[in-house]
């Protein structure tokens, strides 16, 4: 069975019931990130004209493709949204804005239907990401946008109840439009990649439903031209709902930095007492978030050395405001980051890091952290609601939680 046929199976309910409560928390987290990202330059610079029924956070309703583009860019602008290490990217960043925009455009109200489509689409994104594999990512493609576009197309195919031939054509159309480059990391182009992917899915599904045809095996062709590994382990029945391993972010920076930051936090050591520090990570992250000397706040979000300097000097890595150009130019932090060495170790997983420090008195400390340590839904909810409170303020975060509970998607946009 081809990869495209596997995605159609997903769209048509192959896996049955899934972790809907987890998806509820993902939607809550992504919306909090989107509202907090409303005033980010990447989102504010997008000013498409035209009216429609799909709402945009803090703006007037517009067409579904434009709403998906802007909300998708907003939701990823802070780089604080969830990620998945099998997918090698962010899932909600593309899936949620696409599903919300299409649901409103088609007046398909009710969060239960939205969450059903988002769950299936998120699972599809993870599996396509795993199927395309490390070669696709390492050559320079942004899996959030490429695999994410296919996942969002599956989500919308389910939401719109497309027939099998229509789904084939929607996926084929997505294949000819899906794009996104890692070279955009550290720039406004990175969150734009997510918005463009969400818009691609809406356009592909809309056109396919209207009768536009395409390569019926477009995903296979995409893998050929985009360095896809075709890892058939992505389609195993033995690992149902890979999305269950999604990882939410509790530091406002690239997820590749989080294990190291958790380990540094466990050390509880002051930067003034440290002579040198070595951070050991998986080789994958060396080309993703190892900017040695960032000179902007965006760049800091992709720097082991600079975020380590922040952590040991009491500057919150969970606070969005910490990632400023002033932080990037801080002489104290620049001096400390020169004490930090980052090395790769293939024996570590992508979710693990080890931090070793030598103190000025000659003693040493070592801490390790694994982001794959299981977290209960109850514990996840507590941390996500705390995170939303820090992003939006406790009043607005509570209002968002209550709005989701009404199962009225319009109420979500009234929180702004």
């Amino acid at each position: 069975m081809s990869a495209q046929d596997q995605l159609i199976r997903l769209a048509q309910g192959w896996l049955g019931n899934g972790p809907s409560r987890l998806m509820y928390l993902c939607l809550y987290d992504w919306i909090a990130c989107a509202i907090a990202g409303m005033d980010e330059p990447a989102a504010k610079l997008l000013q498409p004209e035209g009216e429609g029924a799909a709402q945009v956070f803090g703006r007037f309703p517009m067409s579904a493709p434009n709403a998906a583009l802007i909300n998708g860019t907003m939701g990823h602008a802070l780089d604080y949204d969830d990620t998945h290490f099998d997918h090698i990217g962010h899932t909600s960043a593309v899936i949620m804005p696409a599903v919300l925009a299409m649901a409103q455009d088609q007046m398909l109200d009710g969060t239960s239907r939205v969450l059903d489509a988002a769950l299936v689409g998120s699972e599809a994104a993870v599996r396509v990401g795993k199927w395309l594999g490390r070669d696709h990512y390492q050559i320079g493609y942004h899996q959030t946008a490429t695999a994410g576009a296919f996942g969002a197309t599956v989500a919308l195919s389910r939401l719109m109840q497309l027939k099998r031939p229509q789904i084939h054509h929607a996926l084929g159309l997505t294949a000819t439009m899906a794009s996104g480059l890692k070279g955009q990391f550290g720039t406004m182009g990175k969150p734009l990649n997510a918005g463009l992917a969400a818009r691609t899915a809406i356009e592909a599904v809309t056109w396919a439903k209207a009768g536009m045809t395409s390569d019926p095996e477009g995903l296979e062709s995409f893998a050929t031209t985009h360095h896809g590994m075709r890892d058939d382990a992505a389609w195993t029945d033995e690992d149902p709902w890979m999305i269950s391993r999604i990882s939410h972010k509790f530091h406002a920076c690239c997820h590749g930095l989080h294990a190291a930051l958790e380990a540094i936090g466990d050390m509880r050591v002051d930067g003034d007492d440290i002579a040198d520090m070595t951070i050991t990570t998986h080789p994958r992250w060396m080309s993703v978030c190892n900017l040695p000397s960032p000179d902007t706040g965006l760049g800091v979000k992709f720097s082991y050395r600079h975020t380590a300097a922040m952590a040991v000097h009491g500057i919150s890595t969970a606070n969005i405001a910490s990632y400023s150009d002033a932080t990037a130019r801080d002489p104290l932090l620049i001096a400390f980051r020169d004490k930090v060495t980052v090395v790769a170790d293939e024996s570590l997983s992508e979710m693990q890091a080890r931090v070793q420090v030598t103190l000025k008195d000659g003693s040493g400390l070592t801490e390790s952290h694994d982001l794959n340590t299981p977290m209960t839904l109850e514990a996840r909810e507590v941390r996500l609601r705390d995170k939303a409170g820090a992003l939006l303020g406790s009043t607005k975060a509570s209002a968002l939680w209550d709005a989701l509970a009404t199962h009225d998607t319009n109420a979500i946009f009234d929180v702004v």
Side-chain angles (χ1 to χ4, degrees):
M1 185 180 296
S2 72
Q4 194 143 314
D5 285 326
Q6 298 284 8
L7 288 186
I8 293 173
R9 289 177 69 206
L10 269 173
Q12 296 180 333
W14 158 38
L15 290 175
N17 294 328
S20 57
R21 183 62 179 178
L22 175 62
M23 199 52 41
Y24 186 97
L25 295 177
C26 289
L27 179 59
Y28 176 73
D29 179 64
W30 176 79
I31 294 172
C33 291
I35 294 174
M38 280 173 25
D39 293 327
E40 289 296 301
K44 291 183 72 174
L45 287 170
L46 296 175
Q47 299 288 342
E49 299 178 356
E51 297 182 357
Q55 297 190 65
V56 177
F57 294 106
R59 302 196 194 178
F60 55 83
M62 57 186 69
S63 70
N66 282 337
L69 170 68
I70 298 177
N71 284 333
T73 304
M74 282 182 187
H76 195 44
L78 299 176
D79 214 331
Y80 212 178
D81 46 300
D82 59 48
T83 66
H84 199 293
F85 290 94
D86 289 338
H87 170 50
I88 323 179
H90 303 252
T91 52
S92 296
V94 177
I95 308 301
M96 298 304 182
V99 172
L100 281 174
M102 184 67 92
Q104 289 201 309
D105 182 72
Q106 298 295 311
M107 293 180 284
L108 304 173
D109 205 6
T111 53
S112 59
R113 189 164 181 178
V114 165
L115 289 172
D116 173 70
L119 174 62
V120 170
S122 297
E123 182 71 17
V126 171
R127 289 179 182 256
V128 173
K130 183 175 179 62
W131 184 74
L132 290 171
R134 298 295 184 270
D135 286 0
H136 176 72
Y137 188 82
Q138 290 302 123
I139 202 68
Y141 291 107
H142 186 192
Q143 222 113 315
T144 296
T146 55
F150 289 102
T153 297
V154 170
L156 299 182
S157 296
R158 184 170 179 85
L159 183 73
M160 300 296 293
Q161 299 180 332
L162 263 59
K163 297 177 181 178
R164 184 181 182 87
Q166 293 173 319
I167 302 174
H168 262 301
H169 291 308
L171 290 168
L173 292 169
T174 298
T176 207
M177 294 190 288
S179 62
L181 300 177
K182 282 168 57 185
Q184 300 291 353
F185 287 10
T187 77
M188 287 183 271
K190 184 176 191 285
L192 179 63
N193 281 348
L196 289 170
R199 185 178 72 179
T200 287
I202 287 188
E203 290 173 336
V205 167
T206 299
W207 295 336
K209 192 172 189 296
M212 186 175 288
T213 62
S214 72
D215 176 4
E217 291 298 334
L219 179 57
E220 297 285 350
S221 299
F222 185 86
T224 298
T225 56
H226 290 71
H227 294 264
M229 294 176 66
R230 291 185 171 87
D231 181 0
D232 286 335
W235 314 116
T236 178
D237 290 359
E238 298 176 1
D239 190 10
W241 298 110
M242 293 181 181
I243 192 63
S244 296
R245 294 194 297 276
I246 199 166
S247 184
H248 286 95
K249 300 180 77 169
F250 302 111
H251 301 273
C253 54
C254 179
H255 219 153
L257 305 174
H258 288 210
L261 289 172
E262 292 285 336
I264 292 170
D266 290 340
M267 285 183 168
R268 305 183 188 282
V269 62
D270 190 278
D272 292 340
D273 298 328
I274 297 175
D276 62 71
M277 173 184 289
T278 299
I279 298 173
T280 307
T281 187
H282 186 274
R284 169 196 164 189
W285 299 118
M286 300 298 281
S287 64
V288 177
C289 50
N290 190 32
L291 292 178
S293 304
D295 55 9
T296 67
L298 275 174
V300 168
K301 292 184 177 185
F302 296 89
S303 175
Y304 277 107
R305 300 205 314 158
H306 210 98
T307 53
M310 292 164 62
V312 298
H313 285 96
I315 299 173
S316 174
T317 53
N319 188 340
I320 295 292
S322 297
Y323 299 87
S324 64
D325 291 352
T327 298
R329 295 190 296 264
D330 187 322
L332 176 67
L333 302 180
I334 291 173
F336 183 87
R337 78 187 183 195
D338 289 338
K339 301 178 182 180
V340 181
T341 301
V342 184
V343 298
D345 182 349
E346 291 185 351
S347 70
L348 296 178
S349 79
E350 295 176 352
M351 291 175 278
Q352 296 174 326
R354 182 171 62 252
V355 178
Q356 298 166 291
V357 300
T358 303
L359 300 178
K360 290 179 179 178
D361 65 8
S363 61
L365 295 171
T366 300
E367 288 285 351
S368 298
H369 189 83
D370 187 345
L371 296 175
N372 201 34
T373 303
M375 180 182 294
T376 66
L377 286 176
E378 292 77 15
R380 194 184 298 264
E381 177 182 328
V382 169
R383 292 199 69 174
L384 289 177
R385 295 189 69 173
D386 286 345
K387 171 183 169 181
L391 282 170
L392 308 178
S394 59
T395 299
K396 191 173 287 188
S398 295
L400 174 58
W401 185 263
D402 293 342
L404 279 173
T406 68
H407 299 289
D408 178 4
T409 53
N410 293 319
I412 295 168
F413 293 88
D414 293 336
V415 172
V416 177

